[in-house]
Amino acid sequence: MEVSFKNEIEQLRLGDGESFHGEGILAITKALLQSGVAYIGGYQGAPVSHLLDVMVQAKSLVSELGVHVEACSNEASAAAMLGASIHYPVRGAVTWKSIVGTNVAADALANLASPGVTGGVLMVIGEDYGEGASVVQERTHAYALKSTLLLLDPRPELATMVDMVEHAFAMSEASNMPAMMELRIRACHVRGSFTCRDNRRPPVSALAPMTEPGQFDYGRLAHPPSTFRHEKLKIDERLPAARRYIVEHGLNELHEGTHEDVGIIVQGGIAPALLRSLQQFGLADAFGRSDLPLLVLNVTYPLVPEQVAAFAEGKRAVLVVEEGSPEYIEQEIATHLRRRDLQTALHGKDMLPAAGELNTEAIMGGLLPFIERHLPQVDTQAVATMLAATRARRSSAAARLDAALPARPPGFCIGCPERPVFSAIKLAQQELGPLHIAADIGCHSFATFEPFSLGHSILGYGMSLASRAGVSPMMQRRVLSIMGDGGFWHNGLLTGVQSALFNRDDAVLLIFKNGYTSATGTQDIISTPGQRAKAQAGDKLASLTATDRTIEDTLAGLGVQWLRTVHSYRVAAMRDTLREAMTTPFPGLKVIIAEGECQLERQRRVRPWLAGLLARGERVVRVKYGVDEDVCNGDHACMRLSGCPTLTLKDNPDPLKVDPVATVIDGCVGCGLCGENAHAATLCPSFYRAEVVQNPRWHERAMDAVRGLMLRLLQPA
Ligand code: SF4
Ligand code: SF4
């Protein structure tokens, strides 16, 4: 990974009394170090990648503190890492993106939660829900319920979030329950400040290792008959201990209000949106003071029944503001009120949207009927008018824009090595007929958008090959499975490749070997160029230009006999290899490796290097592609095969032609795909390749002068 986190690492060094200014996720990272964490692991994914990315680069800081940092191969290995805290009084933290990451980690989580932990455990979960989310819309809350895990949802204000990290460890130790902290996208990126404490060196660490392993204790194994006792411990001891901690340390915030006979219970992460919504009704001020009593749940599991009942008691009505579905919190509160025979009217999803993000507009829409029914003295006309006007404006804009504007889905970076492979798949399908394509998670999933529209299903990260197992036997034509190298190491090797080999499946797998888990922020993986050299000889000798064969060697070692590596920019060669894989009489697993480095990482490395050459006055050659507008016939086949944002349209300069011509705009990185496609698909000969020479040598200047002279002589004045 070429991105540097030098400034962030400096923030992590701040000491007692100093002010931290920055983003929420970095504040959480600092809070881990202040809490005396002994080990940190995880698997990258928005919106929490930053935590692990920063820690991986903060080598000197973590080694000074004795903190061990592990970039885990997937979320299951991160969750399993927390097993260190079952026996030993060491605090551990891991991070991943939820819900998908928690699904992957689920088995280890259940087996961690059953025996419980001695040292505090915290999972920092990126709750990728609502606007901007990139995964299926489900709630992490379900895991807290089923495995009896603490779930914190802190109010997104830096000092509160930092305090909650320290409380999460202490509460985990007091209750023996592992803790999860869910952070929405906005909580990760909210900016603010807090007063730091010194980083704490953990008492047991890489600097102060234990001399002996823990005593054998069958009761700490998630194995019957211990598991029967664990279940009782969860109910009889751990949950009560957690509830005691929540009350004694005031983790949930109780705000009094002037309208004492109604109240709102809200998840901590949603509290700012609620306050902003109340402000529109004139029921809160800009500083977050509410006229309605609020119970802000910074811990959403477990709830404290006595606390909830005390809040509801004496009130005519309570509204639960809870994001997503099902409404776990509301249902639990209803149970607690019913058991105590409290007759307070309870509202929630009967007024608020059952699904989707609770932004200010959605909350105002739920507050409106609540206030109209239970606070009729409050004037709601202004909000009602605003909401109606917003809805009308939105639907009229949608009607007009849908007709006027084409969709603009996300796509591959300019020069991405994956785009040419999808051009080749399109060409191969012209010969083979349409293929069933099992797609996967990763940058290559951009090919599900236009102009490729390739991919029938996405079942999970590294799951494409496994997901075709039920389709292949029932399909006359072979099925194509597509996976990235990140997905291959995350899950695909075992879930897909091993299974296909064991079952002697007739399957075709295409692996993008771009060198990084690019879609999550271009983190390094075991097959990143230079990793072997790093492992063998230290960072200084690592060669980032070396070709890594780890994937090929692994596949061959596992018994894959049909294996081809093709450079991803060679469109015709890739098309021919696809044709061969789809038609060869070889009956087993056929694997094509599409080799080409992630262009984003390549440009991050190449651009500063080129800038350095230019600054020193040295010769630099850049390749550019272009379209001869006199030759372009205007059918735009090149664009339908490529989708590169720098290959676009412009008005036809010929007044006798109406169709716009293709053009390559500034930004082309000269990847060569335009030329490859023109050749492989036998397109019109309008593309040309040019070399832009900066700081040319004397003979190049002379040649340029001669060429210029010839052109002037040959062209009419
Ligand atoms: S990040 Fe890399 S692999 Fe992903 S779209 Fe961009 S160039 Fe392609
Ligand atoms: S050569 Fe073509 S595909 Fe490659 S970056 Fe330039 S315009 Fe885009």
Side-chain angles (χ1 to χ4, degrees):
M1 166 181 253
E2 301 291 323
V3 180
S4 166
F5 296 108
K6 192 165 163 281
N7 295 338
E8 285 85 346
I9 293 166
E10 286 308 309
Q11 293 261 68
L12 297 182
R13 288 186 175 278
L14 294 175
D16 205 20
E18 292 185 280
S19 266
F20 170 104
H21 297 271
E23 279 194 324
I25 189 62
L26 192 65
I28 297 276
T29 313
K30 168 73 172 135
L32 296 179
L33 300 178
Q34 292 182 176
S35 304
V37 71
Y39 63 95
I40 297 175
Y43 192 82
Q44 60 274 354
V48 289
S49 288
H50 207 54
L51 193 161
L52 201 61
D53 290 346
V54 171
M55 291 314 295
V56 165
Q57 284 193 16
K59 285 198 182 86
S60 74
L61 172 60
V62 295
S63 58
E64 281 164 31
L65 294 169
V67 178
H68 174 70
V69 176
E70 183 117 348
C72 302
S73 60
N74 58 30
E75 297 84 354
S77 67
M81 189 182 178
L82 297 172
S85 298
I86 294 176
H87 280 276
Y88 304 109
V90 289
R91 290 185 168 183
V94 294
T95 187
W96 58 69
K97 173 195 193 86
S98 201
I99 190 71
V100 285
T102 314
N103 289 341
V104 175
D107 203 19
L109 282 186
N111 287 297
L112 175 77
S114 186
V117 294
T118 306
V121 153
L122 177 61
M123 291 158 261
V124 179
I125 303 290
E127 188 78 348
D128 197 20
Y129 185 87
E131 191 182 351
S134 60
V135 296
V136 286
Q137 296 295 274
E138 294 183 4
R139 297 183 60 189
T140 309
H141 200 104
Y143 282 92
L145 296 180
K146 89 167 185 63
S147 295
T148 324
L149 303 162
L150 301 167
L151 181 61
L152 292 92
D153 186 354
R155 192 159 52 78
E157 181 266 332
L158 263 55
T160 304
M161 290 158 76
V162 166
D163 281 350
M164 287 299 149
V165 167
E166 303 197 12
H167 280 302
F169 282 115
M171 183 163 48
S172 173
E173 283 156 3
S175 65
N176 305 125
M177 292 166 67
M180 294 196 290
M181 177 178 285
E182 61 173 321
L183 299 175
R184 294 171 185 79
I185 293 174
R186 288 191 175 89
C188 287
H189 299 308
V190 69
R191 295 188 75 84
S193 62
F194 69 93
T195 305
C196 297
R197 287 185 277 272
D198 284 336
N199 295 332
R200 273 170 53 196
R201 207 176 259 192
V204 177
S205 71
L207 291 177
M210 295 171 279
T211 50
E212 300 292 339
Q215 290 278 325
F216 175 77
D217 180 356
Y218 195 87
R220 291 185 190 272
L221 290 166
H223 209 229
S226 299
T227 43
F228 304 115
R229 182 167 172 270
H230 294 161
E231 191 184 19
K232 274 190 72 58
L233 283 174
K234 284 180 178 179
I235 306 301
D236 296 343
E237 294 183 16
R238 296 179 195 166
L239 283 170
R243 287 178 174 133
R244 265 197 309 280
Y245 189 98
I246 292 166
V247 173
E248 285 168 9
H249 294 85
L251 299 195
N252 294 330
E253 300 168 43
L254 187 60
H255 300 272
E256 306 289 349
T258 47
H259 296 281
E260 290 169 353
D261 53 348
V262 293
I264 299 178
I265 301 176
V266 61
Q267 292 166 295
I270 305 294
L274 171 66
L275 287 164
R276 178 78 179 135
S277 307
L278 286 169
Q279 199 188 350
Q280 307 310 307
F281 289 90
L283 292 170
D285 66 18
F287 301 98
R289 282 182 291 262
S290 166
D291 292 349
L292 267 59
L294 303 180
L295 177 58
V296 179
L297 299 174
N298 289 316
V299 185
T300 51
Y301 189 79
L303 296 181
V304 182
E306 298 75 21
Q307 189 175 56
V308 169
F311 182 76
E313 199 155 20
K315 291 188 171 51
R316 286 183 293 112
V318 165
L319 176 71
V320 179
V321 179
E322 177 182 8
E323 189 173 65
S325 140
E327 63 274 39
Y328 298 111
I329 298 173
E330 185 184 333
Q331 289 177 19
E332 190 181 334
I333 290 173
T335 304
H336 293 315
L337 299 191
R338 188 74 195 89
R339 282 184 184 153
R340 284 167 174 74
D341 200 21
L342 284 172
Q343 299 307 315
T344 308
L346 185 69
H347 297 284
K349 294 297 185 188
D350 54 337
M351 295 181 170
L352 289 154
E357 182 176 326
L358 285 190
N359 57 22
T360 308
E361 188 187 343
I363 296 176
M364 282 196 294
L367 282 174
L368 186 63
F370 180 77
I371 293 169
E372 282 174 346
R373 187 179 310 178
H374 297 290
L375 289 170
Q377 69 275 29
V378 174
D379 182 4
T380 57
Q381 193 51 48
V383 174
T385 307
M386 178 168 66
L387 285 173
T390 306
R391 282 178 200 133
R393 210 166 37 244
R394 181 175 295 117
S395 56
S396 108
R400 275 189 261 152
L401 292 180
D402 281 357
L405 289 178
R408 299 195 62 189
F412 298 106
C413 299
I414 295 165
C416 173
E418 304 190 351
R419 181 181 285 113
V421 179
F422 290 101
S423 303
I425 294 174
K426 268 192 146 182
L427 293 175
Q429 288 194 104
Q430 285 180 356
E431 300 175 23
L432 299 164
L435 300 174
H436 179 99
I437 296 179
D440 211 294
I441 304 286
C443 288
H444 44 86
S445 65
F446 289 139
T448 56
F449 297 117
E450 290 180 351
F452 301 113
S453 303
L454 295 173
H456 287 81
S457 59
I458 297 178
L459 267 291
Y461 197 23
M463 297 282 199
S464 61
L465 186 58
S467 73
R468 60 80 251 167
V471 181
S472 297
M474 282 161 272
M475 189 71 70
Q476 281 188 346
R477 217 168 277 146
R478 282 177 180 148
V479 169
L480 177 63
S481 304
I482 294 174
M483 191 184 292
D485 42 9
F488 175 80
W489 294 117
H490 178 273
N491 204 343
L493 172 62
L494 296 183
T495 315
V497 175
Q498 191 253 132
S499 181
L501 288 171
F502 178 68
N503 289 292
R504 297 186 174 81
D505 285 354
D506 185 351
V508 180
L509 171 63
L510 190 150
I511 300 174
F512 282 104
K513 188 175 144 191
N514 66 24
Y516 311 85
T517 52
S518 300
T520 55
T522 62
Q523 288 83 8
D524 288 359
I525 45 180
I526 192 170
S527 53
T528 295
Q531 283 298 310
R532 280 187 183 178
K534 278 182 193 170
Q536 289 160 7
D539 283 5
K540 270 187 286 185
L541 296 180
S543 162
L544 283 171
T545 53
T547 297
D548 188 280
R549 302 273 310 163
T550 310
I551 294 178
E552 286 90 335
D553 292 350
T554 303
L555 290 170
L558 213 56
V560 173
Q561 292 170 24
W562 197 104
L563 181 61
R564 308 277 187 276
T565 298
V566 183
H567 200 282
S568 48
Y569 291 99
R570 302 282 88 87
V571 175
M574 184 61 76
R575 176 202 55 201
D576 295 345
T577 311
L578 282 163
R579 186 200 306 119
E580 187 192 348
M582 287 294 164
T583 55
T584 174
F586 180 82
L589 177 63
K590 294 155 278 287
V591 182
I592 303 170
I593 310 251
E595 175 151 26
E597 189 187 4
C598 165
Q599 190 70 229
L600 188 65
E601 274 298 277
R602 185 170 182 279
Q603 290 297 323
R604 280 176 179 156
R605 194 173 59 252
V606 166
R607 281 197 172 140
W609 175 66
L610 290 179
L613 290 179
L614 287 173
R616 292 195 296 277
E618 293 182 36
R619 181 178 182 270
V620 169
V621 181
R622 283 187 298 131
V623 173
K624 290 272 183 196
Y625 279 74
V627 176
D628 185 337
E629 58 200 28
D630 294 333
V631 182
C632 173
N633 63 19
D635 73 349
H636 314 139
C638 54
M639 297 174 72
R640 289 192 295 277
L641 260 185
S642 159
C644 175
T646 56
L647 175 59
T648 182
L649 293 173
K650 70 173 185 183
D651 287 340
N652 201 321
D654 185 340
L656 298 178
K657 293 183 185 172
V658 288
D659 286 334
V661 289
T663 186
V664 176
I665 57 173
D666 204 22
C668 164
V669 295
C671 76
L673 174 60
C674 285
E676 286 287 331
N677 273 347
H679 168 68
T682 329
L683 301 178
C684 72
S686 53
F687 282 95
Y688 62 83
R689 178 183 184 278
E691 288 185 355
V692 182
V693 182
Q694 290 168 283
N695 298 327
R697 300 201 177 109
W698 69 265
H699 61 275
E700 288 170 319
R701 288 177 194 276
M703 185 62 77
D704 183 56
V706 172
R707 283 180 181 142
L709 179 65
M710 292 299 291
L711 281 174
R712 282 194 295 281
L713 288 175
L714 292 173
Q715 279 180 345

